Amino acid sequence: MNYLILILFLFPYPLYSQLNGVGLGPFRIGMTTPDALPQPGFQEQELVVVKGTLALSCTNIRVFKADSIEIQGILVASLFLVFYENRLFRITCEYGEPLQTAFIAQHGQGQKRPTKRLALCDRSDAKRLVLESESWQLGDCMALAIRAVGTNARCEPEQTSRLTIASPSVAAITSECDLDHLDAYFEEIWMKQ
């Protein structure tokens, strides 16, 4: 435990800083633009479409992905940055132990949310998918960590943990756009707060 505290104090800058806006490392909600992203680390994803359609695109939304990127000494995997009108409004990434430790050290324990148990697969041997989550109010933004363990809708075993930091006001404006591929269980928890 003492080593963990020592490591956190050795970071040159806090992983999350309220002074420069809410975010993850250099990526700040409402401040970061696509032009500010490091070129070799991110790839722009396909156009986002309106839910339930294949042709109607959400033209004001752009999504960039980094398979893996180091942010102030922590390796963050599967990082998605979502922009609305070229301003960052959502960050979603894997919520591994090093990131979890740094996030909790900065913001404290989140508010535990009720556990959900979903039967997504109709096979008799399928385990219910258990969703555990906790949330944080970070100024005008919210952070939501979701852990999913069980059998997913493709009847495959799943064990995942994702962190999303977002602006609720912009998320509401863009709710008709299909962003489920970033975190399949985000809306199940976020929209039912």
Side-chain angles (χ1 to χ4, degrees):
M1 183 66 179
N2 291 337
Y3 291 114
L4 176 61
I5 293 170
L6 177 62
I7 290 170
L8 291 174
F9 282 113
L10 292 178
F11 282 145
Y13 304 103
L15 188 60
Y16 304 91
S17 172
Q18 296 276 353
L19 299 175
N20 294 325
V22 175
L24 187 64
F27 312 116
R28 302 286 169 199
I29 302 293
M31 298 172 75
T32 302
T33 64
D35 296 337
L37 299 180
Q39 290 301 325
F42 286 90
Q43 290 188 325
E44 188 163 8
Q45 304 298 288
E46 294 180 16
L47 281 176
V48 175
V49 295
V50 174
K51 291 177 184 172
T53 72
L54 296 175
L56 295 175
S57 62
C58 294
T59 56
N60 290 339
I61 293 185
R62 295 173 72 188
V63 178
F64 291 81
K65 180 184 181 192
D67 291 327
S68 180
I69 190 165
E70 187 176 317
I71 299 176
Q72 295 177 327
I74 295 175
L75 193 61
V76 177
S78 191
L79 174 66
F80 289 93
L81 302 177
V82 185
F83 297 84
Y84 175 72
E85 294 183 349
N86 288 324
R87 292 283 174 202
L88 183 63
F89 83 92
R90 178 174 168 176
I91 302 167
T92 300
C93 63
E94 286 186 15
Y95 193 49
E97 189 175 323
L99 180 57
Q100 180 179 353
T101 301
F103 192 85
I104 290 172
Q106 180 71 25
H107 299 292
Q109 290 292 330
Q111 177 184 354
K112 296 280 186 196
R113 306 191 52 77
T115 299
K116 294 187 177 263
R117 290 173 172 71
L118 307 174
L120 300 177
C121 176
D122 59 3
R123 290 191 343 218
S124 63
D125 64 336
K127 294 181 180 177
R128 287 182 177 263
L129 187 74
V130 177
L131 298 178
E132 294 177 340
S133 61
E134 58 187 311
S135 62
W136 294 261
Q137 183 70 46
L138 306 173
D140 292 340
C141 294
M142 290 282 297
L144 181 64
I146 302 172
R147 290 165 206 81
V149 177
T151 305
N152 64 25
R154 295 179 308 278
C155 295
E156 299 169 343
E158 181 160 17
Q159 184 171 349
T160 185
S161 187
R162 310 261 319 143
L163 174 68
T164 297
I165 304 169
S167 164
S169 59
V170 180
I173 292 170
T174 61
S175 63
E176 76 280 352
C177 299
D178 188 1
L179 296 171
D180 288 348
H181 64 286
L182 306 181
D183 183 348
Y185 312 112
F186 176 75
E187 286 197 21
E188 179 70 31
I189 306 292
W190 182 272
M191 296 304 188
K192 297 178 180 168
Q193 299 191 80

